[in-house]
Amino acid sequence: MEEPFDPYYKWLGIPPHEQPPNHYRLLGINAFESDPDVISAAADRQMGHIRTYQTGPHAGASQRILNEVAAARVCLLDAGSRSAYNHELRAKFSAEGGAIQAGNLLAENLRGATRYAILELERLWVLRLRLPAAYLALGRDVVREGRFLEELSGQYARLDEIVRRHRSLRPAAGGDRAKTESTAGQGTSYWGLMHDSVRTVRLWFGIAVFHYRHRAALRGMGRAAYAAHQAESGPEHLAGQVQTLKARLDQLQTSLERLSTVPEGHYLSPQRAAWLLLAILLLPVLLLLWLF
């Protein structure tokens, strides 16, 4: 489908978003121009150019624009009319500028909030997952190689205690299992089954607690070793990984602190904008949960 002909754009270079043009734009001169000679010469130039299209297929559009140029010339050459027109035009520019500024401000706030959210998620990922995993790997290597026995004697003692307490559960578990097997086939009461189930749950819970405490102790070992010896705390690939993650964590913290301040000309910091956006997104979910 052929697009409609736009005489303002084709003949005068006035794009659609500037249409309908004000008098100054129509004449091709600076806004609020007051020199009568400049205004008159610009009107003559535009009218001479538009008249070249009077005999073409768009003669009607040519005549309409000629009338608009003539009206603009009359208005701007009269001091009183020009003053009133300038007052209206300034009010229009002010309103459009305020809307554009508000739109730009909103866009900047959204960009800042998005950047803050991304950096905060990365910080939590490094702090809660990657760095503890790096400390765990370093701690396992320290224990396996038996390094820093005197300096980290407290960490080693804690680790030995955790392992010893876990091993103390194994004979009891074995005895319970043997007792259960010896009574198999003889029939058990409901309360006996419940008792066995409770003991099994307690056993598995103890195993889960052991693994949690054991991993926590190994992470503490790796953290203490790195704090005392930095790059010398273990193999290069393990200590280097901890060093890289800590440096990245410091960079993220610095960036987040910078985003927590209110930029000039703004009302909200990117940090508060991010939390406000999160609250707006969660509000419908909370309302649905409350209603249903």
Side-chain angles (χ1 to χ4, degrees):
M1 182 177 178
E2 187 178 357
E3 295 183 359
F5 180 74
D6 186 351
Y8 292 106
Y9 182 60
K10 297 294 185 179
W11 296 342
L12 302 177
I14 302 175
H17 67 273
E18 295 184 14
Q19 298 176 19
N22 60 67
H23 291 344
Y24 298 100
R25 185 69 176 92
L26 184 63
L27 298 184
I29 57 179
N30 293 329
F32 310 112
E33 177 62 59
S34 59
D35 192 320
D37 294 334
V38 174
I39 296 172
S40 181
D44 291 340
R45 182 180 64 252
Q46 297 293 69
M47 294 178 73
H49 175 64
I50 298 300
R51 285 195 182 100
T52 60
Y53 300 102
Q54 281 185 315
T55 58
H58 303 290
S62 174
Q63 186 59 47
R64 174 169 54 84
I65 295 179
L66 282 173
N67 294 337
E68 293 177 2
V69 172
R73 177 177 186 170
V74 171
C75 176
L76 297 181
L77 287 178
D78 181 75
S81 300
R82 185 175 66 248
S83 177
Y85 181 78
N86 288 345
H87 180 74
E88 295 178 0
L89 191 60
R90 284 192 177 93
K92 180 182 178 182
F93 284 170
S94 178
E96 291 177 351
I100 294 174
Q101 184 178 6
N104 293 337
L105 190 63
L106 178 60
E108 290 179 8
N109 284 335
L110 289 177
R111 285 195 296 268
T114 303
R115 175 169 173 75
Y116 179 87
I118 292 174
L119 292 179
E120 179 64 17
L121 288 175
E122 184 181 357
R123 186 188 72 86
L124 292 175
W125 180 49
V126 173
L127 181 64
R128 301 299 182 185
L129 295 177
R130 295 194 63 191
L131 190 58
Y135 279 137
L136 178 62
L138 182 60
R140 283 174 174 167
D141 183 79
V142 169
V143 173
R144 183 171 57 251
E145 300 296 331
R147 290 194 295 270
F148 318 124
L149 289 174
E150 295 183 0
E151 297 182 40
L152 303 179
S153 58
Q155 301 289 340
Y156 276 104
R158 181 188 176 194
L159 192 62
D160 291 340
E161 180 185 358
I162 292 173
V163 174
R164 185 170 59 253
R165 292 185 62 180
H166 173 65
R167 288 176 177 173
S168 66
L169 298 175
R170 297 176 64 181
D176 291 341
R177 184 162 51 251
K179 182 178 179 181
T180 302
E181 292 175 355
S182 65
T183 57
Q186 299 178 4
T188 55
S189 65
Y190 171 78
W191 294 110
L193 290 175
M194 287 293 295
H195 184 65
D196 291 341
S197 299
V198 170
R199 283 187 297 182
T200 302
V201 170
R202 290 180 61 185
L203 175 62
W204 284 108
F205 180 75
I207 293 174
V209 170
F210 161 73
H211 283 291
Y212 173 79
R213 296 184 63 192
H214 188 257
R215 290 169 66 90
L218 288 175
R219 283 195 296 269
M221 181 77 73
R223 187 180 295 106
Y226 183 82
H229 297 277
Q230 301 292 321
E232 303 297 328
S233 58
E236 182 178 356
H237 67 282
L238 295 178
Q241 184 181 20
V242 173
Q243 185 177 8
T244 301
L245 291 174
K246 287 180 70 66
R248 179 56 181 165
L249 195 60
D250 292 339
Q251 293 175 358
L252 291 171
Q253 189 64 38
T254 302
S255 299
L256 289 172
E257 289 177 358
R258 186 167 58 251
L259 291 174
S260 64
T261 59
V262 181
E264 184 178 356
H266 291 240
Y267 299 100
L268 289 175
S269 65
Q271 179 189 34
R272 292 190 176 182
W275 286 111
L276 179 61
L277 182 61
L278 179 62
I280 293 174
L281 293 176
L282 289 179
L283 184 59
V285 178
L286 296 177
L287 288 176
L288 289 175
L289 292 176
W290 180 70
L291 291 174
F292 299 101

